[in-house]
Amino acid sequence: MNIRKIVSYTEDVLTEGGRPVDPRARTAVVLAVLQNPWAGRGFVEDLAPGIEEFASPLGALLAPRVVAALGAPIEAYGKAAVVGLDGEVEHGSALIHTLKFGDHFRQAASATTLLPAVEKRAAAGTTFDIPLKHITDATIRSHHQSIEVRLADAPRADEIVVGLAAAAQGRPQARLAPLSSER
């Protein structure tokens, strides 16, 4: 796996709606920018060998980093793959839509739900939103949120940006009724 760089950052929301958020609402994102193993090879019918080679090591690399960046128990999580213009959306999906990748994060977060995801093909500098849902119950509305991400120099045409996002809480000042209240 040829990784050009790893980017980590956190966001702390201290006020929302003109009111303090206490404790702060923290979200962390870790992104790996890697060479697309399928780019420039024409249409690749069988993606399985690349999935086998890259998905698990990538999940093992990113999961502990996002846990450390968050620095708190994870309550919501999500994933992303943005493929450069010489690749296909399916290339990013191949890496992140497999248990070989996602189970590393599920285990690190003690999660039981599916990881919500975004995947797209785009040029360097594109903005994308990583969706997050609660780690054990995807119907908990307060944890339906997203975080906006952008890397100025990635993905290059032959790269994929793969990322994980985690939140220590739901949306700041969340006050929607539980889904179960609707009949």
Side-chain angles (χ1 to χ4, degrees), residues 45-70:
E45 188 70 40
D46 185 6
L47 302 176
I51 293 168
E52 192 63 38
E53 183 176 353
F54 301 114
S56 183
L58 194 55
L61 173 72
L62 296 178
R65 286 176 181 255
V66 75
V67 169
L70 188 64

Side-chain angles (χ1 to χ4, degrees), residues 98-166:
T98 173
L99 296 176
K100 294 175 188 316
F101 175 79
D103 275 354
H104 292 283
F105 198 15
R106 267 184 219 87
Q107 291 168 6
S110 299
T112 57
T113 58
L114 291 175
L115 270 158
V118 63
E119 55 276 319
K120 68 191 270 185
R121 185 172 65 178
T126 193
T127 300
F128 55 100
D129 294 328
I130 302 177
L132 293 97
K133 303 268 187 203
H134 193 277
I135 61 169
T136 61
D137 185 349
T139 67
I140 296 176
R141 284 184 173 165
S142 60
H143 287 61
H144 294 195
Q145 56 190 312
S146 60
I147 185 160
E148 185 176 84
V149 181
R150 178 183 174 276
L151 294 176
D153 67 341
R156 293 177 181 163
D158 63 348
E159 292 178 333
I160 303 174
V161 175
V162 173
L164 296 177

